[in-house]
Amino acid sequence: MTTQTHIISNLVVFLILPHTTNLNPNYIDLGLIVGSNLIDLDHVFSNPIYHPKRNSFKTHFLHKQWKAVSIFSAFLLFYRPLMFLGIGLIAHFFLDFLYNKREKI
């Protein structure tokens, strides 16, 4: 899935969270949730960098460890300074999963 889709979905989550919970996010939290997309830096080491029919969970080294990163992200949900990083990583992997299912990869 494209980086623009990941960033837009993270911004939507960032805008919805204050209305559903008692969180008061600030600019640092916004930076963390958008910065969670840095996990896509492993695409730079692939040839070609973007291929629409490639399963990122099988080819990119930062995505291959998705189980460990997801568990780490779940633990971050309980630590307020890094909570939005965990939310962004979980949303990122969820969007990649949906993309793989939609494209039948």
Side-chain angles (χ1 to χ4, degrees):
M1 190 157 301
T2 63
T3 303
Q4 295 87 358
T5 307
H6 285 292
I7 292 173
I8 290 170
S9 67
N10 284 338
L11 291 175
V12 168
V13 168
F14 182 79
L15 293 174
I16 290 174
L17 277 176
H19 300 293
T20 59
T21 62
N22 59 356
L23 293 174
N24 290 326
N26 53 27
Y27 291 115
I28 294 172
D29 297 332
L30 177 62
L32 286 173
I33 200 166
V34 172
S36 66
N37 290 310
L38 289 175
I39 198 166
D40 273 343
L41 283 177
D42 57 2
H43 290 256
V44 174
F45 298 103
S46 299
N47 190 10
I49 291 177
Y50 175 74
H51 188 274
K53 296 293 184 182
R54 181 171 44 205
N55 186 343
S56 61
F57 292 115
K58 293 181 181 176
T59 56
H60 303 299
F61 63 91
L62 291 176
H63 285 73
K64 283 183 183 179
Q65 305 298 325
W66 69 271
K67 292 177 187 174
V69 175
S70 297
I71 291 171
F72 177 71
S73 301
F75 284 123
L76 288 179
L77 296 178
F78 300 106
Y79 183 61
R80 173 62 176 101
L82 296 176
M83 178 186 299
F84 285 90
L85 180 63
I87 292 169
L89 287 171
I90 291 171
H92 182 93
F93 285 137
F94 182 68
L95 286 175
D96 282 348
F97 172 75
L98 289 178
Y99 178 74
N100 289 340
K101 288 296 181 186
R102 186 185 75 192
E103 295 296 323
K104 296 177 179 66
I105 299 174

